[in-house]
mmCIF file of all heavy atoms in Angstrom:
data_model
loop_
_atom_site.group_PDB
_atom_site.id
_atom_site.type_symbol
_atom_site.label_atom_id
_atom_site.label_comp_id
_atom_site.label_asym_id
_atom_site.label_seq_id
_atom_site.Cartn_x
_atom_site.Cartn_y
_atom_site.Cartn_z
ATOM 1 N N ALA O 1 -6.638 15.285 0.202
ATOM 2 C CA ALA O 1 -7.502 15.301 1.385
ATOM 3 C C ALA O 1 -8.751 14.448 1.145
ATOM 4 O O ALA O 1 -9.164 13.664 2.011
ATOM 5 C CB ALA O 1 -7.877 16.727 1.746
ATOM 6 N N LEU O 2 -9.373 14.601 -0.025
ATOM 7 C CA LEU O 2 -10.546 13.785 -0.354
ATOM 8 C C LEU O 2 -10.166 12.315 -0.444
ATOM 9 O O LEU O 2 -10.908 11.437 0.008
ATOM 10 C CB LEU O 2 -11.162 14.265 -1.673
ATOM 11 C CG LEU O 2 -12.389 13.487 -2.170
ATOM 12 C CD1 LEU O 2 -13.530 13.568 -1.168
ATOM 13 C CD2 LEU O 2 -12.832 14.020 -3.540
ATOM 14 N N TYR O 3 -9.008 12.054 -1.009
ATOM 15 C CA TYR O 3 -8.542 10.673 -1.115
ATOM 16 C C TYR O 3 -8.395 10.043 0.271
ATOM 17 O O TYR O 3 -8.844 8.917 0.514
ATOM 18 C CB TYR O 3 -7.206 10.655 -1.863
ATOM 19 C CG TYR O 3 -6.699 9.278 -2.218
ATOM 20 C CD1 TYR O 3 -7.050 8.683 -3.423
ATOM 21 C CD2 TYR O 3 -5.869 8.572 -1.349
ATOM 22 C CE1 TYR O 3 -6.588 7.424 -3.755
ATOM 23 C CE2 TYR O 3 -5.403 7.310 -1.672
ATOM 24 C CZ TYR O 3 -5.757 6.746 -2.881
ATOM 25 O OH TYR O 3 -5.301 5.487 -3.194
ATOM 26 N N GLU O 4 -7.779 10.766 1.193
ATOM 27 C CA GLU O 4 -7.588 10.248 2.547
ATOM 28 C C GLU O 4 -8.914 10.076 3.271
ATOM 29 O O GLU O 4 -9.126 9.103 3.994
ATOM 30 C CB GLU O 4 -6.691 11.186 3.349
ATOM 31 C CG GLU O 4 -5.226 11.128 2.968
ATOM 32 C CD GLU O 4 -4.545 9.877 3.479
ATOM 33 O OE1 GLU O 4 -4.607 8.844 2.768
ATOM 34 O OE2 GLU O 4 -3.972 9.901 4.583
ATOM 35 N N ALA O 5 -9.830 11.017 3.068
ATOM 36 C CA ALA O 5 -11.083 11.000 3.819
ATOM 37 C C ALA O 5 -12.074 9.973 3.307
ATOM 38 O O ALA O 5 -12.761 9.312 4.091
ATOM 39 C CB ALA O 5 -11.717 12.391 3.785
ATOM 40 N N GLN O 6 -12.151 9.795 1.973
ATOM 41 C CA GLN O 6 -13.229 8.992 1.406
ATOM 42 C C GLN O 6 -12.766 7.791 0.576
ATOM 43 O O GLN O 6 -13.612 6.980 0.189
ATOM 44 C CB GLN O 6 -14.115 9.877 0.510
ATOM 45 C CG GLN O 6 -14.789 11.014 1.248
ATOM 46 C CD GLN O 6 -15.852 10.531 2.208
ATOM 47 O OE1 GLN O 6 -16.400 9.452 2.044
ATOM 48 N NE2 GLN O 6 -16.142 11.329 3.230
ATOM 49 N N HIS O 7 -11.476 7.675 0.311
ATOM 50 C CA HIS O 7 -11.029 6.635 -0.616
ATOM 51 C C HIS O 7 -9.893 5.780 -0.061
ATOM 52 O O HIS O 7 -9.108 5.206 -0.808
ATOM 53 C CB HIS O 7 -10.640 7.268 -1.963
ATOM 54 C CG HIS O 7 -11.797 7.956 -2.628
ATOM 55 N ND1 HIS O 7 -12.092 9.276 -2.388
ATOM 56 C CD2 HIS O 7 -12.756 7.498 -3.466
ATOM 57 C CE1 HIS O 7 -13.178 9.607 -3.072
ATOM 58 N NE2 HIS O 7 -13.593 8.541 -3.730
ATOM 59 N N ARG O 8 -9.832 5.674 1.255
ATOM 60 C CA ARG O 8 -8.838 4.799 1.861
ATOM 61 C C ARG O 8 -9.082 3.332 1.499
ATOM 62 O O ARG O 8 -8.200 2.495 1.653
ATOM 63 C CB ARG O 8 -8.843 4.963 3.385
ATOM 64 C CG ARG O 8 -8.242 6.279 3.874
ATOM 65 C CD ARG O 8 -6.725 6.279 3.822
ATOM 66 N NE ARG O 8 -6.174 5.332 4.746
ATOM 67 C CZ ARG O 8 -5.906 5.585 6.019
ATOM 68 N NH1 ARG O 8 -6.176 6.775 6.521
ATOM 69 N NH2 ARG O 8 -5.379 4.662 6.802
ATOM 70 N N PHE O 9 -10.295 3.031 1.004
ATOM 71 C CA PHE O 9 -10.568 1.654 0.591
ATOM 72 C C PHE O 9 -9.623 1.195 -0.515
ATOM 73 O O PHE O 9 -9.377 -0.002 -0.667
ATOM 74 C CB PHE O 9 -12.034 1.489 0.142
ATOM 75 C CG PHE O 9 -12.388 2.219 -1.136
ATOM 76 C CD1 PHE O 9 -12.140 1.645 -2.370
ATOM 77 C CD2 PHE O 9 -12.987 3.462 -1.099
ATOM 78 C CE1 PHE O 9 -12.470 2.305 -3.546
ATOM 79 C CE2 PHE O 9 -13.327 4.128 -2.263
ATOM 80 C CZ PHE O 9 -13.067 3.548 -3.493
ATOM 81 N N VAL O 10 -9.078 2.128 -1.289
ATOM 82 C CA VAL O 10 -8.147 1.751 -2.358
ATOM 83 C C VAL O 10 -6.931 1.050 -1.766
ATOM 84 O O VAL O 10 -6.504 -0.006 -2.235
ATOM 85 C CB VAL O 10 -7.731 2.995 -3.175
ATOM 86 C CG1 VAL O 10 -6.689 2.618 -4.217
ATOM 87 C CG2 VAL O 10 -8.950 3.620 -3.853
ATOM 88 N N SER O 11 -6.371 1.635 -0.704
ATOM 89 C CA SER O 11 -5.240 0.998 -0.028
ATOM 90 C C SER O 11 -5.674 -0.259 0.714
ATOM 91 O O SER O 11 -4.977 -1.281 0.675
ATOM 92 C CB SER O 11 -4.599 1.975 0.960
ATOM 93 O OG SER O 11 -4.052 3.079 0.287
ATOM 94 N N ARG O 12 -6.818 -0.181 1.370
ATOM 95 C CA ARG O 12 -7.279 -1.322 2.168
ATOM 96 C C ARG O 12 -7.470 -2.563 1.302
ATOM 97 O O ARG O 12 -7.092 -3.678 1.683
ATOM 98 C CB ARG O 12 -8.574 -0.955 2.888
ATOM 99 C CG ARG O 12 -9.083 -2.008 3.849
ATOM 100 C CD ARG O 12 -10.223 -1.471 4.689
ATOM 101 N NE ARG O 12 -11.390 -1.134 3.875
ATOM 102 C CZ ARG O 12 -11.825 0.090 3.632
ATOM 103 N NH1 ARG O 12 -11.183 1.126 4.124
ATOM 104 N NH2 ARG O 12 -12.907 0.304 2.890
ATOM 105 N N LEU O 13 -8.029 -2.375 0.113
ATOM 106 C CA LEU O 13 -8.269 -3.516 -0.764
ATOM 107 C C LEU O 13 -6.976 -4.027 -1.393
ATOM 108 O O LEU O 13 -6.965 -5.115 -1.965
ATOM 109 C CB LEU O 13 -9.280 -3.135 -1.843
ATOM 110 C CG LEU O 13 -10.704 -2.884 -1.324
ATOM 111 C CD1 LEU O 13 -11.590 -2.331 -2.427
ATOM 112 C CD2 LEU O 13 -11.301 -4.154 -0.742
ATOM 113 N N GLY O 14 -5.907 -3.256 -1.300
ATOM 114 C CA GLY O 14 -4.624 -3.708 -1.820
ATOM 115 C C GLY O 14 -3.782 -4.464 -0.810
ATOM 116 O O GLY O 14 -2.699 -4.959 -1.145
ATOM 117 N N GLU O 15 -4.271 -4.583 0.430
ATOM 118 C CA GLU O 15 -3.452 -5.215 1.466
ATOM 119 C C GLU O 15 -3.164 -6.683 1.156
ATOM 120 O O GLU O 15 -2.074 -7.182 1.420
ATOM 121 C CB GLU O 15 -4.148 -5.069 2.822
ATOM 122 C CG GLU O 15 -4.146 -3.626 3.326
ATOM 123 C CD GLU O 15 -4.962 -3.452 4.596
ATOM 124 O OE1 GLU O 15 -5.575 -4.440 5.046
ATOM 125 O OE2 GLU O 15 -4.989 -2.324 5.127
ATOM 126 N N GLY O 16 -4.130 -7.401 0.573
ATOM 127 C CA GLY O 16 -3.894 -8.795 0.223
ATOM 128 C C GLY O 16 -2.821 -8.964 -0.833
ATOM 129 O O GLY O 16 -2.175 -10.018 -0.919
ATOM 130 N N LEU O 17 -2.616 -7.922 -1.625
ATOM 131 C CA LEU O 17 -1.583 -7.972 -2.656
ATOM 132 C C LEU O 17 -0.191 -8.035 -2.031
ATOM 133 O O LEU O 17 0.732 -8.607 -2.617
ATOM 134 C CB LEU O 17 -1.714 -6.742 -3.550
ATOM 135 C CG LEU O 17 -1.075 -6.790 -4.936
ATOM 136 C CD1 LEU O 17 -1.685 -7.887 -5.785
ATOM 137 C CD2 LEU O 17 -1.236 -5.431 -5.626
ATOM 138 N N ILE O 18 -0.043 -7.451 -0.849
ATOM 139 C CA ILE O 18 1.251 -7.500 -0.169
ATOM 140 C C ILE O 18 1.595 -8.935 0.219
ATOM 141 O O ILE O 18 2.759 -9.340 0.161
ATOM 142 C CB ILE O 18 1.245 -6.564 1.055
ATOM 143 C CG1 ILE O 18 1.091 -5.113 0.594
ATOM 144 C CG2 ILE O 18 2.533 -6.728 1.865
ATOM 145 C CD1 ILE O 18 1.013 -4.120 1.725
ATOM 146 N N ASP O 19 0.597 -9.722 0.597
ATOM 147 C CA ASP O 19 0.857 -11.131 0.894
ATOM 148 C C ASP O 19 1.402 -11.846 -0.332
ATOM 149 O O ASP O 19 2.284 -12.696 -0.233
ATOM 150 C CB ASP O 19 -0.428 -11.822 1.362
ATOM 151 C CG ASP O 19 -0.930 -11.283 2.689
ATOM 152 O OD1 ASP O 19 -0.101 -10.774 3.476
ATOM 153 O OD2 ASP O 19 -2.142 -11.360 2.939
ATOM 154 N N LEU O 20 0.871 -11.487 -1.502
ATOM 155 C CA LEU O 20 1.359 -12.086 -2.746
ATOM 156 C C LEU O 20 2.782 -11.630 -3.043
ATOM 157 O O LEU O 20 3.604 -12.405 -3.545
ATOM 158 C CB LEU O 20 0.426 -11.691 -3.880
ATOM 159 C CG LEU O 20 0.432 -12.530 -5.155
ATOM 160 C CD1 LEU O 20 0.112 -13.988 -4.859
ATOM 161 C CD2 LEU O 20 -0.569 -11.957 -6.156
ATOM 162 N N LEU O 21 3.102 -10.399 -2.719
ATOM 163 C CA LEU O 21 4.460 -9.886 -2.890
ATOM 164 C C LEU O 21 5.444 -10.597 -1.968
ATOM 165 O O LEU O 21 6.582 -10.853 -2.343
ATOM 166 C CB LEU O 21 4.473 -8.383 -2.605
ATOM 167 C CG LEU O 21 5.823 -7.674 -2.635
ATOM 168 C CD1 LEU O 21 6.383 -7.625 -4.055
ATOM 169 C CD2 LEU O 21 5.686 -6.253 -2.063
ATOM 170 N N ALA O 22 4.992 -10.914 -0.761
ATOM 171 C CA ALA O 22 5.823 -11.583 0.253
ATOM 172 C C ALA O 22 7.174 -10.884 0.414
ATOM 173 O O ALA O 22 8.235 -11.495 0.213
ATOM 174 C CB ALA O 22 6.022 -13.049 -0.115
ATOM 175 N N PRO O 23 7.177 -9.609 0.805
ATOM 176 C CA PRO O 23 8.447 -8.876 0.943
ATOM 177 C C PRO O 23 9.306 -9.476 2.046
ATOM 178 O O PRO O 23 8.802 -9.923 3.077
ATOM 179 C CB PRO O 23 7.993 -7.463 1.299
ATOM 180 C CG PRO O 23 6.634 -7.636 1.913
ATOM 181 C CD PRO O 23 6.014 -8.793 1.215
ATOM 182 N N GLN O 24 10.602 -9.459 1.801
ATOM 183 C CA GLN O 24 11.562 -10.020 2.753
ATOM 184 C C GLN O 24 12.455 -8.918 3.300
ATOM 185 O O GLN O 24 12.740 -7.920 2.627
ATOM 186 C CB GLN O 24 12.426 -11.088 2.064
ATOM 187 C CG GLN O 24 11.631 -12.229 1.445
ATOM 188 C CD GLN O 24 10.848 -13.016 2.464
ATOM 189 O OE1 GLN O 24 11.415 -13.462 3.474
ATOM 190 N NE2 GLN O 24 9.558 -13.200 2.234
ATOM 191 N N ALA O 25 12.904 -9.101 4.523
ATOM 192 C CA ALA O 25 13.797 -8.133 5.152
ATOM 193 C C ALA O 25 15.031 -7.916 4.289
ATOM 194 O O ALA O 25 15.635 -8.875 3.798
ATOM 195 C CB ALA O 25 14.197 -8.611 6.540
ATOM 196 N N GLY O 26 15.380 -6.675 4.077
ATOM 197 C CA GLY O 26 16.568 -6.333 3.308
ATOM 198 C C GLY O 26 16.336 -6.177 1.822
ATOM 199 O O GLY O 26 17.196 -5.635 1.117
ATOM 200 N N GLU O 27 15.213 -6.639 1.293
ATOM 201 C CA GLU O 27 14.945 -6.484 -0.132
ATOM 202 C C GLU O 27 14.721 -5.009 -0.480
ATOM 203 O O GLU O 27 14.182 -4.248 0.325
ATOM 204 C CB GLU O 27 13.696 -7.265 -0.545
ATOM 205 C CG GLU O 27 13.905 -8.744 -0.696
ATOM 206 C CD GLU O 27 12.697 -9.413 -1.352
ATOM 207 O OE1 GLU O 27 11.551 -9.111 -0.961
ATOM 208 O OE2 GLU O 27 12.905 -10.236 -2.247
ATOM 209 N N ARG O 28 15.118 -4.646 -1.693
ATOM 210 C CA ARG O 28 14.826 -3.310 -2.221
ATOM 211 C C ARG O 28 13.551 -3.416 -3.058
ATOM 212 O O ARG O 28 13.517 -4.140 -4.050
ATOM 213 C CB ARG O 28 15.979 -2.781 -3.063
ATOM 214 C CG ARG O 28 17.269 -2.581 -2.294
ATOM 215 C CD ARG O 28 18.325 -1.896 -3.157
ATOM 216 N NE ARG O 28 18.016 -0.488 -3.401
ATOM 217 C CZ ARG O 28 17.624 0.008 -4.560
ATOM 218 N NH1 ARG O 28 17.479 -0.777 -5.617
ATOM 219 N NH2 ARG O 28 17.376 1.308 -4.701
ATOM 220 N N ILE O 29 12.525 -2.675 -2.644
ATOM 221 C CA ILE O 29 11.222 -2.770 -3.293
ATOM 222 C C ILE O 29 10.742 -1.379 -3.681
ATOM 223 O O ILE O 29 10.842 -0.427 -2.906
ATOM 224 C CB ILE O 29 10.201 -3.459 -2.369
ATOM 225 C CG1 ILE O 29 10.646 -4.908 -2.095
ATOM 226 C CG2 ILE O 29 8.804 -3.448 -2.999
ATOM 227 C CD1 ILE O 29 9.743 -5.671 -1.149
ATOM 228 N N LEU O 30 10.218 -1.273 -4.889
ATOM 229 C CA LEU O 30 9.649 -0.028 -5.393
ATOM 230 C C LEU O 30 8.128 -0.138 -5.364
ATOM 231 O O LEU O 30 7.555 -1.069 -5.926
ATOM 232 C CB LEU O 30 10.120 0.221 -6.830
ATOM 233 C CG LEU O 30 9.554 1.470 -7.514
ATOM 234 C CD1 LEU O 30 10.088 2.742 -6.847
ATOM 235 C CD2 LEU O 30 9.899 1.476 -9.008
ATOM 236 N N ASP O 31 7.482 0.825 -4.697
ATOM 237 C CA ASP O 31 6.024 0.925 -4.696
ATOM 238 C C ASP O 31 5.654 1.948 -5.768
ATOM 239 O O ASP O 31 5.764 3.152 -5.556
ATOM 240 C CB ASP O 31 5.521 1.347 -3.316
ATOM 241 C CG ASP O 31 4.001 1.422 -3.245
ATOM 242 O OD1 ASP O 31 3.337 1.129 -4.253
ATOM 243 O OD2 ASP O 31 3.486 1.776 -2.162
ATOM 244 N N LEU O 32 5.223 1.450 -6.909
ATOM 245 C CA LEU O 32 4.979 2.289 -8.086
ATOM 246 C C LEU O 32 3.546 2.820 -8.058
ATOM 247 O O LEU O 32 2.589 2.049 -8.124
ATOM 248 C CB LEU O 32 5.224 1.468 -9.356
ATOM 249 C CG LEU O 32 4.999 2.170 -10.687
ATOM 250 C CD1 LEU O 32 5.948 3.359 -10.839
ATOM 251 C CD2 LEU O 32 5.186 1.193 -11.846
ATOM 252 N N GLY O 33 3.411 4.146 -7.971
ATOM 253 C CA GLY O 33 2.102 4.753 -7.799
ATOM 254 C C GLY O 33 1.655 4.644 -6.357
ATOM 255 O O GLY O 33 0.563 4.197 -6.046
ATOM 256 N N CYS O 34 2.504 5.105 -5.452
ATOM 257 C CA CYS O 34 2.329 4.847 -4.013
ATOM 258 C C CYS O 34 1.223 5.670 -3.384
ATOM 259 O O CYS O 34 0.795 5.371 -2.258
ATOM 260 C CB CYS O 34 3.638 5.097 -3.281
ATOM 261 S SG CYS O 34 4.215 6.822 -3.383
ATOM 262 N N GLY O 35 0.752 6.737 -4.046
ATOM 263 C CA GLY O 35 -0.297 7.560 -3.457
ATOM 264 C C GLY O 35 0.130 8.148 -2.130
ATOM 265 O O GLY O 35 1.221 8.709 -1.998
ATOM 266 N N THR O 36 -0.704 7.995 -1.110
ATOM 267 C CA THR O 36 -0.418 8.596 0.187
ATOM 268 C C THR O 36 0.387 7.686 1.108
ATOM 269 O O THR O 36 0.544 7.995 2.294
ATOM 270 C CB THR O 36 -1.720 9.021 0.874
ATOM 271 O OG1 THR O 36 -2.627 7.909 0.928
ATOM 272 C CG2 THR O 36 -2.390 10.160 0.109
ATOM 273 N N GLY O 37 0.876 6.579 0.597
ATOM 274 C CA GLY O 37 1.927 5.835 1.279
ATOM 275 C C GLY O 37 1.515 4.739 2.242
ATOM 276 O O GLY O 37 2.380 4.118 2.862
ATOM 277 N N HIS O 38 0.236 4.441 2.360
ATOM 278 C CA HIS O 38 -0.180 3.465 3.371
ATOM 279 C C HIS O 38 0.355 2.062 3.090
ATOM 280 O O HIS O 38 0.821 1.369 4.001
ATOM 281 C CB HIS O 38 -1.702 3.453 3.494
ATOM 282 C CG HIS O 38 -2.273 4.769 3.906
ATOM 283 N ND1 HIS O 38 -1.921 5.395 5.082
ATOM 284 C CD2 HIS O 38 -3.152 5.607 3.279
ATOM 285 C CE1 HIS O 38 -2.566 6.547 5.177
ATOM 286 N NE2 HIS O 38 -3.317 6.699 4.085
ATOM 287 N N LEU O 39 0.302 1.645 1.837
ATOM 288 C CA LEU O 39 0.831 0.326 1.516
ATOM 289 C C LEU O 39 2.359 0.334 1.501
ATOM 290 O O LEU O 39 2.989 -0.690 1.796
ATOM 291 C CB LEU O 39 0.275 -0.151 0.173
ATOM 292 C CG LEU O 39 -1.236 -0.394 0.158
ATOM 293 C CD1 LEU O 39 -1.702 -0.837 -1.227
ATOM 294 C CD2 LEU O 39 -1.643 -1.421 1.194
ATOM 295 N N THR O 40 2.952 1.459 1.182
ATOM 296 C CA THR O 40 4.411 1.578 1.252
ATOM 297 C C THR O 40 4.889 1.260 2.666
ATOM 298 O O THR O 40 5.863 0.528 2.863
ATOM 299 C CB THR O 40 4.848 3.003 0.865
ATOM 300 O OG1 THR O 40 4.080 3.471 -0.241
ATOM 301 C CG2 THR O 40 6.321 3.042 0.516
ATOM 302 N N GLN O 41 4.184 1.810 3.656
ATOM 303 C CA GLN O 41 4.552 1.542 5.042
ATOM 304 C C GLN O 41 4.347 0.075 5.392
ATOM 305 O O GLN O 41 5.169 -0.519 6.111
ATOM 306 C CB GLN O 41 3.717 2.416 5.979
ATOM 307 C CG GLN O 41 3.981 2.166 7.461
ATOM 308 C CD GLN O 41 5.414 2.459 7.852
ATOM 309 O OE1 GLN O 41 5.917 3.553 7.625
ATOM 310 N NE2 GLN O 41 6.097 1.476 8.445
ATOM 311 N N GLN O 42 3.278 -0.524 4.914
ATOM 312 C CA GLN O 42 3.058 -1.936 5.219
ATOM 313 C C GLN O 42 4.164 -2.809 4.642
ATOM 314 O O GLN O 42 4.570 -3.796 5.256
ATOM 315 C CB GLN O 42 1.690 -2.373 4.707
ATOM 316 C CG GLN O 42 0.537 -1.781 5.496
ATOM 317 C CD GLN O 42 -0.778 -2.457 5.188
ATOM 318 O OE1 GLN O 42 -0.838 -3.656 4.941
ATOM 319 N NE2 GLN O 42 -1.854 -1.687 5.196
ATOM 320 N N ILE O 43 4.647 -2.465 3.470
ATOM 321 C CA ILE O 43 5.776 -3.200 2.894
ATOM 322 C C ILE O 43 7.018 -2.983 3.761
ATOM 323 O O ILE O 43 7.770 -3.922 4.048
ATOM 324 C CB ILE O 43 6.028 -2.756 1.448
ATOM 325 C CG1 ILE O 43 4.826 -3.122 0.564
ATOM 326 C CG2 ILE O 43 7.298 -3.409 0.901
ATOM 327 C CD1 ILE O 43 4.887 -2.522 -0.827
ATOM 328 N N ALA O 44 7.229 -1.749 4.185
ATOM 329 C CA ALA O 44 8.391 -1.445 5.031
ATOM 330 C C ALA O 44 8.346 -2.198 6.349
ATOM 331 O O ALA O 44 9.390 -2.530 6.923
ATOM 332 C CB ALA O 44 8.477 0.054 5.280
#
C-alpha cells in the first residue's frame, strides 16, 4: 500500500527502459522483480 501510494516513481522512472527492451508482439518476456505490475502491463 505504501509502495503504491508514495513510490510509484520507481515504475515511472523505469518506463524508458521498456523502449530499450523494444518488446515485440508474440515474444515471451519475463519481468523479474515485477513488484505491483505496472511495467509488466506496459510490456504486455
Side-chain angles (χ1 to χ4, degrees):
L2 179 61
Y3 188 90
E4 286 285 86
Q6 298 291 336
H7 298 89
R8 288 283 294 273
F9 68 84
V10 176
S11 296
R12 185 170 64 250
L13 292 172
E15 290 174 357
L17 200 62
I18 295 177
D19 294 334
L20 200 58
L21 176 69
Q24 303 298 308
E27 282 190 315
R28 297 187 71 251
I29 297 178
L30 178 68
D31 182 1
L32 179 62
C34 63
T36 53
H38 300 301
L39 295 179
T40 319
Q41 177 61 55
Q42 290 193 35
I43 296 171

